[in-house]
Amino acid sequence: MLSGTGRRIVSMWFPRLASDRVLRACPTDRPFALFLRQHNSDVIHCLNHAAEAADLSRGMRMTDARSFCPDLISQPADPAQDTRFLHLLRRWAGRYCPWVGIEPPDGLVLDITGSAHLWGDEAGMLDDMRDAAARAGMTLHLGLGDTRGAAWALAHYGQGVAAPGDPAPVLALPVAALRIPAEMATGLQRLGLRRVGELDAAARAPLARRFGPHLMLRLDQALGRAPESITPAAEPVHYATRLTLPEPIGLESDLMAATERLLDGLCAKLATQQVGARTLRLELRRVDSASQHITLRLAAAMREPARILPLFGRSLSKVDSGFGIDQIRLEAVLVEPLPEMQTGIAETRAPDRLADLMTRIGTRIGLDNLHRFQPADSHIPERAFTLTPATLPPTRQTAPARQAASARQFSSARLGATPDSSAGQDATTLQGAAAPPCGWTSPRPRPLRLFDPEPIIGRGASPPRRFRWRRMVLNTARATGPERIAPEWWQEDSGWRGGLRDYWMVETRQGRRLWMFHTPQTPGWFVQGEFA
């Protein structure tokens, strides 16, 4: 169908991408600038049109900018959010053609070969791009040519359109339009080569020897003599399945059967990508258009339908089916890597059962309410452990569902609706199975029970032979020690203001095995723990 049709490339350049992204949520007519920290000073990273009209420019120091424009509004730039926003723009640009690539940090490239007729012609497509960007409050420069280099040059230095097979618009541009370093462009201008046409007419060998092969490659790419590919960014994998029922259902057994069918397809997709689900969202749509949502948070990554299905039982038993449910959708909102492992039966049952138990308890009281003790790197008894949630965030996680939701939200606005200030906010972080960072190690025995120091009456540096503790009169049978522990001077702890502590393990004739310490600076005896 496209026989005899040459390639047509569109370059989208958003010169104020960072500032336009911020101003979409909080628009202002006053001068506005984003700044970055460079070489121990804040410099302007991006600014709006009003700031440019006040003679401000990129790279200017913020101290100078505020002296020129006292009413300047500024805030720190966020390059990570700018990159994410550019990816959302790439998804939006997919409405014009399926072949969309990214030109960081603020551009897109589209191969519209065979797609322009959907908007009447190329001019109609470009007009639609400009109108959509204007409605969204985005500054957009467009360039159209036969090559990627020509389109980029026209977008950045001319905002023009090169007719098929006509290199004249590109030849009239400055040499900096060839995507070469600034110092190389300056060197060419010193030689009197200011335009691309002048460079193309000059002898190639001397220029290649002086500036290297990169200059000639960029020239040939812009004029179509050397190929240059466009690599579209891969779409994130979307882990979701949907089931539309011919007749409404409402029984718990029917809902479980439908969920099982969805789980089989979803888990097969998870296994293909070698990931496991950490958060599952089940959406039930009734015939009256009402919807109910069930969110299942798993204590560990899973992709076995037989293990996941029973965990939905408690929530499905409370579903109000109304006049019936005709559509069910299951989505893995959060996943994490779960590669295949060769393990024995005895090696896998215990961790799997523990994760299943934690998930079952977590569905009732919440995973955040499950805690465990973790070892900590401290020689102070009270700080040798920490109480942490029984589940911790995964070390590496992917959230394609969250990215897709943000992209759908941006696309649904059609680049013209009122911007949503909540766009870009992350979903609730899921807690994952916690593994101790290190083993429990201690140079000396530690008691099973540890409590706040309780004073007792005693004299001298050795444990008293007879003392009273918790209304009990105890006699010392054997004492082992002392173990001197010094306080951590860099920590603010009122309990260790007494200085050094000499710890003893005391066995009493009554059967109690206590952990006691003596404070030499302010003489006194205390009981802090009890051994089993």
Side-chain angles (χ1 to χ4, degrees):
M1 181 179 65
L2 300 178
S3 178
T5 303
R7 294 180 65 193
R8 299 294 285 170
I9 309 299
V10 170
S11 177
M12 288 185 172
W13 179 38
F14 301 91
R16 301 189 183 98
L17 176 71
S19 59
D20 288 344
R21 177 188 63 83
V22 176
L23 294 177
R24 276 172 52 85
C26 50
T28 180
D29 295 331
R30 296 173 55 188
F32 176 82
L34 299 174
F35 61 87
L36 285 175
R37 189 75 175 177
Q38 295 181 1
H39 305 294
N40 296 327
S41 62
D42 295 332
V43 299
I44 294 180
H45 171 66
C46 190
L47 64 169
N48 65 352
H49 180 73
E52 290 182 350
D55 295 332
L56 305 184
S57 61
R58 292 195 180 194
M60 179 182 291
R61 299 175 60 178
M62 287 300 299
T63 53
D64 299 333
R66 292 192 177 96
S67 63
F68 280 103
C69 185
D71 59 343
L72 175 66
I73 303 174
S74 62
Q75 69 180 58
D78 191 345
Q81 287 292 338
D82 297 338
T83 302
R84 183 181 178 189
F85 186 65
L86 184 61
H87 281 269
L88 296 181
L89 291 172
R90 181 196 61 81
R91 290 180 59 87
W92 160 77
R95 69 193 296 263
Y96 296 104
C97 68
W99 212 257
V100 183
I102 292 179
E103 289 183 331
D106 51 11
L108 301 174
V109 56
L110 297 78
D111 189 342
I112 64 168
T113 306
S115 301
H117 69 279
L118 300 176
W119 278 260
D121 54 10
E122 294 177 350
M125 176 183 285
L126 298 181
D127 290 340
D128 187 82
M129 293 178 181
R130 295 190 187 95
D131 294 341
R135 290 194 301 269
M138 301 292 298
T139 303
L140 175 62
H141 292 180
L142 294 172
L144 174 60
D146 294 337
T147 64
R148 180 175 182 176
W152 188 94
L154 292 171
H156 287 72
Y157 289 88
Q159 289 200 71
V161 176
D166 181 17
V170 180
L171 295 175
L173 297 177
V175 291
L178 294 177
R179 297 174 294 171
I180 58 178
E183 58 272 12
M184 187 180 295
T186 303
L188 290 172
Q189 292 174 4
R190 289 174 179 173
L191 294 177
L193 303 176
R194 304 180 182 277
R195 301 290 175 180
V196 176
E198 298 172 355
L199 176 63
D200 186 47
R204 299 173 63 94
L207 293 174
R209 284 195 299 267
R210 179 166 182 172
F211 297 100
H214 181 72
L215 174 61
M216 295 295 104
L217 176 62
R218 287 302 193 189
L219 177 63
D220 293 339
Q221 288 176 344
L223 299 180
R225 299 167 186 165
E228 186 177 9
S229 62
I230 298 175
T231 304
E235 293 290 340
V237 182
H238 189 53
Y239 302 99
T241 55
R242 184 175 61 184
L243 179 62
T244 302
L245 304 170
E247 293 291 337
I249 61 174
L251 297 179
E252 181 181 352
S253 58
D254 295 338
L255 295 177
M256 289 291 289
T259 305
E260 181 180 10
R261 183 173 176 180
L262 293 175
L263 273 173
D264 291 338
L266 178 61
C267 291
K269 192 171 186 179
L270 293 173
T272 302
Q273 301 293 328
Q274 293 192 354
V275 296
R278 295 295 302 277
T279 300
L280 292 169
R281 177 183 173 90
L282 185 66
E283 182 178 353
L284 308 171
R285 194 189 70 178
R286 303 193 314 194
V287 294
D288 58 355
S289 298
S291 297
Q292 298 185 56
H293 305 278
I294 298 175
T295 301
L296 178 63
R297 300 173 62 192
L298 304 177
M302 300 182 188
R303 59 169 178 249
E304 296 83 8
R307 294 176 56 195
I308 300 177
L309 181 62
L311 304 177
F312 278 105
R314 178 181 176 86
S315 299
L316 288 176
S317 63
K318 300 179 181 180
V319 170
D320 181 12
S321 302
F323 293 102
I325 295 173
D326 60 357
Q327 189 179 95
I328 304 178
R329 185 175 182 271
L330 180 64
E331 179 181 8
V333 178
L334 189 62
V335 300
E336 73 173 18
L338 186 62
E340 297 286 352
M341 295 183 297
Q342 183 176 358
T343 57
I345 297 178
E347 296 175 351
T348 58
R349 283 185 176 177
D352 291 347
R353 289 178 178 177
L354 177 60
D356 294 346
L357 176 62
M358 292 173 59
T359 303
R360 288 180 180 275
I361 299 176
T363 56
R364 290 169 169 81
I365 66 174
L367 285 176
D368 296 336
N369 294 322
L370 300 179
H371 295 82
R372 66 168 56 170
F373 291 100
Q374 296 279 28
D377 187 12
S378 177
H379 65 277
I380 301 298
E382 299 92 326
R383 302 188 187 129
F385 64 91
T386 57
L387 187 63
T388 62
T391 54
L392 291 176
T395 56
R396 194 185 79 169
Q397 62 185 21
T398 58
R402 182 183 61 199
Q403 297 175 2
S406 300
R408 287 195 298 268
Q409 183 182 27
F410 185 84
S411 299
S412 62
R414 300 185 63 84
L415 283 179
T418 302
D420 188 358
S421 60
S422 63
Q425 294 181 353
D426 291 344
T428 303
T429 303
L430 176 69
Q431 303 286 335
C438 59
W440 291 96
T441 59
S442 176
R444 301 288 182 88
R446 291 292 183 259
L448 181 64
R449 296 180 56 198
L450 194 67
F451 40 80
D452 293 334
E454 300 176 358
I456 61 173
I457 298 176
R459 295 181 180 179
S462 299
R465 291 182 173 272
R466 183 183 178 89
F467 58 93
R468 185 179 182 85
W469 175 65
R470 293 186 178 180
R471 300 183 181 180
M472 296 181 293
V473 178
L474 303 176
N475 298 312
T476 301
R478 185 173 62 177
T480 304
E483 176 190 356
R484 174 159 290 186
I485 298 180
E488 296 176 342
W489 56 267
W490 59 90
Q491 298 283 354
E492 291 291 339
D493 190 346
S494 58
W496 281 79
R497 290 178 180 174
L500 300 174
R501 292 181 182 180
D502 293 333
Y503 279 87
W504 296 77
M505 183 172 64
V506 177
E507 299 182 12
T508 64
R509 298 184 184 277
Q510 289 76 15
R512 297 279 184 173
R513 302 175 66 242
L514 304 178
W515 204 42
M516 305 167 55
F517 69 86
H518 174 254
T519 54
Q521 289 85 351
T522 55
W525 281 93
F526 301 85
V527 179
Q528 192 177 4
E530 185 173 8
F531 293 88

